[in-house]
Amino acid sequence: MTIYSRKKFQEEVPEVSTKIWACTSDVCNGWMRANFSFEQSPTCLQCNSPMEESEKMLPQLVNSNDINRAKNSIPVSE
């Protein structure tokens, strides 16, 4: 007798300490990854309060915009 499962095997994504922007309001829990922010000091998109730098353990992601910026900022030697 064979038993089949519909659940697919999902590999575990490693969590890393990630820089974030956290909302400073006591009644809001908004936050965003720092490398996905377009501003130097963003405001919370949920309540428009200022945000402060912080860190959080999050699944590791690669922001392709960071990679493209790094490639464009490297001088090409001729």
Side-chain angles (χ1 to χ4, degrees):
M1 181 166 151
T2 305
I3 299 175
Y4 294 98
S5 174
R6 290 180 175 234
K7 291 185 179 182
K8 293 183 179 180
F9 175 75
Q10 294 182 359
E11 67 181 68
E12 225 174 275
V13 178
E15 289 194 348
V16 294
S17 181
T18 307
K19 291 184 181 183
I20 65 165
W21 287 103
C23 184
T24 57
S25 172
D26 292 335
V27 295
C28 181
N29 62 355
W31 61 272
M32 70 176 87
R33 290 175 186 259
N35 65 343
F36 283 86
S37 171
F38 295 114
E39 300 174 27
Q40 290 287 34
S41 44
T43 56
C44 180
L45 297 173
Q46 296 176 10
C47 69
N48 292 325
S49 295
M51 299 185 92
E52 63 185 3
E53 291 182 349
S54 185
E55 287 193 7
K56 189 174 197 163
M57 291 299 288
L58 298 170
Q60 185 174 13
L61 292 180
V62 176
N63 184 348
S64 61
N65 287 333
D66 285 344
I67 294 170
N68 290 336
R69 274 188 229 141
K71 284 181 184 176
N72 291 335
S73 66
I74 298 172
V76 179
S77 59
E78 295 180 21

